[in-house]
Amino acid sequence: MADTVKKNFGGGNTAWEEKSLSKYEFSEIRLLEILEGLCESSDFECNRLLEEHEGLLEAWWLQLQKQAPDLFEWFCVETLKFCCSPGTYGPDCRACPGGPQRPCSGNGQCDGAGSRQGDGACQCHMGYSGALCADCLDGYFSALRNDTHSVCRACHEACKTCTGPTERDCTECETGWAYQQDACVDVDECTAETAPCDENQYCENVPSSYSCEDCDATCVGCTGKGPGKCKECVPGYAKDESGQCSDVDECSHPEGPCLRENENCYNTPGSFVCVCPEGYKETDGACVPTVEGETEGERLIQPPPHEDL
């Protein structure tokens, strides 16, 4: 009906057609267009119902729609008795708790509302409880209550129960909070005598709880995030003037860590490597020059010298 409300006969002289054929709004042509668009071709159940009850729809369209303008109420509720009016439920379409205008005090759903099923019990929205959804659950407080309306609001996160919206309105503190100076305040678990985290972690307080975070990779134990919060440094690192664990350049030591003659030292994060320079080969005790023009492969497979016969 909504899809055809602005349509007309579609001819060249709509005014003449409506004068001669009656208005398109109530015409059989419009009814036919509506019925043709009701069901998808693949929707077997819809097409079956349409075929079964098409005569009732035609009767309403041609004779009854002015005296019964609400098609849903006339067709689904009163005639076929498949449905109930909003706010009613069950075989006899009884009123939902709280009445059909504001079932469940407007704070929940009535089981089976609008159908011939259900038991009418209120299924309350978050924060509400009771047979009429007019009471507040723990963690919520009543912001408004009169004969027709009940409004519940969430307590402050510090409160398990409360009478108002702030941490000073708590009647019982939530877990992780403690009552101090007329208010529920967060408990800092990180200050406990026994540390709650592992040795190579630091504790970070969060509202009502705490988290254990890994120390920086350069730390052996820490008090916070980053290399500046290390208690001690891992091997290969040492605290600099700012107190931060920084890489130790072993290659800069006057004595040097590389023991073989001619060997080069290269610093790496937390360590170092010793490498023979280009043009030298490794031996157990030193880096020795290679013979000019001689490849490594040739050195490895040189034939033995010929002996004089």
Side-chain angles (χ1 to χ4, degrees), residues 24-307:
Y24 171 82
E25 180 182 1
F26 302 104
S27 68
E28 291 186 56
I29 293 176
R30 184 185 177 199
L31 172 62
L32 181 61
E33 292 179 355
I34 291 172
L35 294 178
E36 288 177 345
L38 277 181
C39 301
E40 297 288 341
S41 60
S42 60
D43 192 336
F44 173 79
E45 184 64 15
C46 178
N47 282 287
R48 184 188 68 78
L49 288 171
L50 177 59
E51 182 178 356
E52 183 178 351
H53 302 297
E54 186 174 353
L56 287 173
L57 292 173
E58 290 178 355
W60 177 83
W61 182 266
L62 298 174
Q63 303 168 22
L64 301 173
Q65 63 173 304
K66 289 186 178 180
Q67 66 189 64
D70 190 331
L71 175 60
F72 171 79
E73 189 73 20
W74 178 83
F75 185 65
C76 299
V77 179
E78 297 176 3
T79 304
L80 298 183
K81 301 187 185 302
F82 283 170
C83 309
C84 289
S85 301
T88 63
Y89 73 95
D92 301 322
C93 292
R94 299 177 61 184
C96 290
Q101 300 305 315
R102 295 189 74 252
C104 304
S105 306
N107 300 323
Q109 300 291 333
C110 170
D111 183 47
S115 75
R116 300 274 171 162
Q117 302 176 0
D119 61 7
C122 287
Q123 299 166 347
C124 301
H125 297 324
M126 181 67 73
Y128 294 89
S129 65
L132 295 178
C133 299
D135 302 323
C136 300
L137 286 173
D138 284 353
Y140 294 79
F141 67 95
S142 179
L144 173 66
R145 183 77 179 259
N146 56 33
D147 292 339
T148 58
H149 289 75
S150 177
V151 178
C152 298
R153 296 279 185 262
C155 297
H156 188 275
E157 62 177 333
C159 307
K160 187 172 185 179
T161 57
C162 69
T163 58
T166 74
E167 67 273 24
R168 294 188 175 278
D169 298 311
C170 302
T171 54
E172 183 180 356
C173 295
E174 188 58 85
T175 302
W177 303 76
Y179 200 73
Q180 296 179 14
Q181 298 179 345
D182 300 327
C184 287
V185 297
D186 179 45
V187 175
D188 187 352
E189 294 85 356
C190 297
T191 61
E193 184 175 345
T194 302
C197 300
D198 293 338
E199 290 184 2
N200 215 34
Q201 292 180 321
Y202 66 93
C203 180
E204 193 165 274
N205 190 55
V206 296
S208 77
S209 188
Y210 66 94
S211 64
C212 293
E213 307 293 338
D214 290 337
C215 295
D216 190 85
T218 64
C219 298
V220 177
C222 65
T223 58
K225 182 179 180 179
K229 298 292 185 178
C230 298
K231 294 179 180 178
E232 301 292 339
C233 301
V234 296
Y237 287 80
K239 290 193 176 185
D240 57 21
E241 295 178 355
S242 65
Q244 179 168 299
C245 283
S246 299
D247 176 47
V248 174
D249 185 357
E250 293 87 353
C251 297
S252 66
H253 293 176
E255 298 177 359
C258 298
L259 303 178
R260 292 183 298 185
E261 185 180 357
N262 299 321
E263 196 169 32
N264 287 342
C265 179
Y266 295 96
N267 189 56
T268 62
S271 188
F272 62 93
V273 292
C274 297
V275 179
C276 289
E278 187 176 355
Y280 287 76
K281 64 180 180 179
E282 296 184 7
T283 67
D284 290 341
C287 293
V288 297
T290 58
V291 178
E292 186 175 354
E294 183 180 57
T295 66
E296 187 70 21
E298 290 172 333
R299 293 196 300 275
L300 292 174
I301 60 173
Q302 282 183 349
H306 292 287
E307 296 182 1

